[in-house]
Amino acid sequence: MSDEKRTEGADVWHLLTRREPGEDPAWDALGDEWVAVDGVIAGGRLYAKWTDTEGGQSHLSGLCFADVPITADLLRSVPVGRLENMKAGKAAMPVEQFLRELQPLRRRSGEDPERFSERVAAYYRQFAVFTSKPAKMIADHSRVPAPTVHGWIREARLRGKLPPGKRGKAG
């Protein structure tokens, strides 16, 4: 992965869904069906577009970089799977607003373990939209130790609420 184009500390992305005409010429040229994603590459902005299918699903159908040299290293550094999750996770708000509106994740007294694992999986998927380190972000947001959150995620995986993990890849 090229360090030259990855944003330092680019664990958190900012999804911009509303375009103000005249503020961003590249976005103006692309149109309203595109969204801007900041924090993916240093010195530039990535634009993405999703297309809905007849079955109600959507898939990533367009990527655009503006005002940055496009190299093989840059293209390899873009985590396309995470971009796909953004639409699947319905991330239509800035991360700051998302965090303000979301209750911290806590195991409720007497809560059914199956239900808690479902909640852990839902939190994990939502946080994976914004960061490559969802467990750390959940721990920080919920003010619990990261190893506790890792245990919750492991339990959710064992119960089939999340797919098996891949080292170094959220989702």
Side-chain angles (χ1 to χ4, degrees):
M1 177 169 10
S2 170
D3 290 331
E4 79 187 38
K5 289 298 168 200
R6 286 288 293 166
T7 302
E8 191 172 314
D11 292 329
V12 177
W13 293 355
H14 297 278
L15 180 69
L16 306 164
T17 57
R18 277 187 245 149
R19 179 180 64 86
E20 294 295 329
E23 282 188 10
D24 184 333
W27 202 355
D28 287 344
L30 291 168
D32 288 330
E33 66 272 6
W34 290 76
V35 299
V37 187
D38 288 338
V40 180
I41 57 174
R45 177 177 272 176
L46 179 138
Y47 303 89
K49 174 183 171 183
W50 289 268
T51 301
D52 294 327
T53 62
E54 288 180 23
Q57 300 291 325
S58 63
H59 63 273
L60 187 63
S61 59
L63 285 178
C64 179
F65 302 93
D67 302 323
V68 295
I70 298 175
T71 64
D73 283 343
L74 172 67
L75 293 175
R76 278 191 295 270
S77 76
V78 175
V80 174
R82 189 166 157 205
L83 285 167
E84 291 171 329
N85 288 341
M86 291 187 90
K87 182 66 173 186
K90 308 286 188 265
M93 67 176 68
V95 68
E96 296 84 6
Q97 180 184 352
F98 169 74
L99 292 173
R100 266 194 318 272
E101 294 179 6
L102 187 68
Q103 293 286 330
L105 181 61
R106 296 268 190 324
R107 189 183 298 261
R108 298 177 186 134
S109 178
E111 183 173 15
D112 175 55
E114 201 70 23
R115 174 70 184 117
F116 182 68
S117 290
E118 289 170 4
R119 289 196 312 120
V120 169
Y123 271 64
Y124 186 90
R125 286 187 195 98
Q126 284 298 314
F127 277 84
V129 167
F130 295 107
T131 179
S132 62
K133 298 177 182 174
K136 181 185 180 327
M137 195 173 185
I138 292 169
D140 292 346
H141 176 69
S142 301
R143 292 189 170 97
V144 297
T148 300
V149 174
H150 284 287
W152 293 344
I153 292 167
R154 181 178 179 277
E155 182 179 338
R157 289 189 195 287
L158 291 172
R159 292 179 181 276
K161 307 302 180 192
L162 287 170
K166 296 177 184 165
R167 186 168 288 287
K169 181 176 167 116

